[in-house]
Amino acid sequence: MKVPFLDIKVQYASIQDEIAVALQQVLDSTAFAGGPFVERFEKNFASFCQCEFAVGVGSGTTALWMALLGMGVSEGDEVITTPNTFIATAEAISFCGAKPVFVDVDEQTYNMHPDLLEGAITPKTKAIIPVHLFGQMADMDRIMEIAQARGLFVIEDACQAHGAEYKGRRAGSIGDAGCFSFYPGKNLGAYGEAGAIVTNNAELAERMRMFRDHGQGKKYYHSLVGWNARMDGFQAAVLSVKLKYLPAWNDARRQNAQLYNDLLAGMDSVITPMEADYAKHVYHVYAIRSQNRNALIGTLAEKDIFCGIHYPVPIHLQEAYKFLDYRKGSFPIAEKCAEQLVSLPMFAELSQEQAERVSHEIRCFLKVVV
Ligand SMILES: Cc1ncc(COP(=O)(O)O)c(C=O)c1O
């Protein structure tokens, strides 16, 4: 039995007919760029996120960029985030002309360590981007307290955290804005590229709407220098169909995570993910830690079990960010994560049999090497 890292086909098969109807409606109305399908999805997604507004854009990277632009982040500013994220978080900061500044993460949750935040704030700091890594939210109360005391914006990078909760509050609803990716493999994935920003700030929502549409409030009247960052109608139609199923898909991921936790329990050489007291984790990624990570991945692949690494090189050690002058040792926990984390197969439709097989092979491997 093959166990893929992710299986999008099986989910598509379960909603194929509904998707076909939704896509046909877009074709019939020719609402391809922006338009009513995007507006409907924005309304429903905002409400899902317990927010007033959502702005649909072309990707999660663009969502982060538009949020930063909407807050006026620009040349000479600094924005604090974590180094163990997908590079898009830092790229969005760079594309505003600002400088990414990193703080290390908590060893239990792999999210921004609030104790380290104050030390990274300078007079140039304009915003903080906590990343809700793998589907678990960062410790938002502490981050918001520090940000509010210093007058800083907070943008939640919720690109991996659709439907995740912090003390009952949904990802994206706590900061000034929350950014989502609908890349096909996400818990809520489009059938192409898409993203969105959610916020409760009407003025910010309006600015981001303008930035994503060439800075125009009225067609061909441009009050800002903007960009074409719109969501397309097909993606919005697909996302509207899929949003209804997201709570059930997230529950299935949580059940699969519990199954893995039980099956992998009691091994000193494996650290399973920790769900913080405050959190509802939605397990976009189920990552364990092992000192023999690379050998483990190789052995599992030989047995047709496919894993991932999120991420093999932390951003401060990436070639592209050499100019920031960080070095090995700058962020020891993020570096440990890069060396030890392995993401196991995880998707809503993963069967019990598949999870058992993965766990069994991990146990066999560890008996050999320990
Ligand atoms: C944490 C994080 N931020 C940003 C992004 C960027 O999203 P997109 O690929 O839709 O541009 C991703 C996507 O993988 C992500 O995981």
Side-chain angles (χ1 to χ4, degrees):
M1 186 200 350
K2 192 169 171 166
V3 190
F5 176 63
L6 175 67
D7 189 341
I8 301 180
K9 275 191 190 158
V10 61
Q11 185 177 86
Y12 169 60
S14 73
I15 52 171
Q16 197 168 357
D17 295 344
E18 257 187 287
I19 293 286
V21 171
L23 293 179
Q24 190 61 51
Q25 284 171 350
V26 179
L27 286 168
D28 291 342
S29 67
T30 66
F32 299 130
F37 295 94
V38 174
E39 281 163 26
R40 191 179 64 168
F41 174 68
E42 287 176 337
K43 194 164 162 282
N44 293 338
F45 190 64
S47 147
F48 175 82
C49 294
Q50 303 170 342
C51 281
E52 260 187 81
F53 310 101
V55 179
V57 292
S59 69
T61 311
T62 313
L64 289 161
W65 187 36
M66 294 293 124
L68 288 160
L69 287 176
M71 290 168 191
V73 172
S74 64
E75 190 93 33
D77 292 334
E78 293 178 357
V79 178
I80 301 173
T81 189
T82 44
N84 59 330
T85 176
F86 182 56
I87 194 144
T89 320
E91 284 174 326
I93 300 167
S94 298
F95 261 57
C96 293
K99 179 182 167 190
V101 172
F102 300 114
V103 292
D104 211 348
V105 291
D106 173 76
E107 190 163 355
Q108 310 274 313
T109 63
Y110 313 131
N111 281 329
M112 179 175 279
H113 202 312
D115 289 352
L116 303 172
L117 193 48
E118 296 261 14
I121 296 173
T122 76
K124 293 181 176 174
T125 308
K126 188 100 181 219
I128 302 168
I129 308 186
V131 180
H132 303 324
L133 198 75
F134 300 160
Q136 169 155 254
M137 290 177 68
D139 190 351
M140 290 305 293
D141 277 353
R142 295 187 61 203
I143 294 169
M144 292 306 293
E145 200 183 309
I146 295 167
Q148 278 161 2
R150 304 294 200 109
L152 305 174
F153 290 111
V154 174
I155 298 172
E156 298 174 53
D157 183 338
C159 286
Q160 302 185 3
H162 319 68
E165 291 178 10
Y166 178 87
K167 300 182 183 173
R169 298 167 75 187
R170 286 261 160 97
S173 68
I174 300 179
D176 297 280
C179 296
F180 291 85
S181 162
F182 304 120
Y183 185 75
K186 300 295 187 192
N187 290 28
L188 179 62
Y191 289 168
E193 303 277 358
I197 313 122
V198 295
T199 182
N200 286 311
N201 180 331
E203 207 179 304
L204 176 65
E206 191 46 37
R207 275 174 71 76
M208 294 187 298
R209 275 184 211 291
M210 290 182 71
F211 272 120
R212 75 155 175 200
D213 193 18
H214 302 290
Q216 59 189 354
K218 186 173 154 199
K219 201 165 171 73
Y220 301 135
Y221 290 82
H222 308 271
S223 44
L224 298 169
V225 179
W227 200 253
N228 175 359
R230 296 179 297 248
M231 180 185 272
D232 77 68
F234 286 120
Q235 301 314 328
V238 167
L239 290 165
S240 286
V241 169
K242 294 181 77 177
L243 182 58
K244 297 189 301 245
Y245 298 103
L246 181 59
W249 288 336
N250 279 346
D251 285 347
R253 284 175 181 268
R254 288 176 56 76
Q255 276 165 22
N256 294 338
Q258 189 55 52
L259 186 57
Y260 272 139
N261 286 346
D262 294 344
L263 293 166
L264 296 171
M267 277 188 289
D268 289 344
S269 47
V270 161
I271 301 173
T272 52
M274 174 265 209
E275 185 176 42
D277 289 345
Y278 60 66
K280 180 176 176 187
H281 198 318
V282 292
Y283 297 98
H284 172 57
V285 168
Y286 181 95
I288 61 171
R289 262 164 60 202
S290 161
Q291 307 258 8
N292 292 304
R293 189 264 308 275
N294 292 342
L296 173 61
I297 291 176
T299 304
L300 292 176
E302 280 167 19
K303 294 174 187 296
D304 273 345
I305 295 171
F306 299 98
C307 298
I309 300 177
H310 299 92
Y311 297 90
V313 182
I315 307 213
H316 67 287
L317 300 178
Q318 292 281 357
E319 176 90 29
Y321 279 110
K322 234 177 168 167
F323 67 94
L324 291 176
D325 267 345
Y326 290 110
R327 56 206 73 234
K328 207 165 163 43
S330 295
F331 304 106
I333 307 300
E335 289 167 28
K336 198 194 263 190
C337 289
E339 278 163 24
Q340 298 185 352
L341 282 172
V342 44
S343 311
L344 303 188
M346 171 54 82
F347 43 96
E349 300 77 9
L350 186 84
S351 67
Q352 175 160 347
E353 226 182 339
Q354 286 175 314
E356 282 169 355
R357 175 146 192 265
V358 175
S359 309
H360 173 75
E361 293 299 346
I362 293 172
R363 283 191 170 273
C364 290
F365 170 81
L366 289 167
K367 262 187 229 141
V368 175
V369 296
V370 169

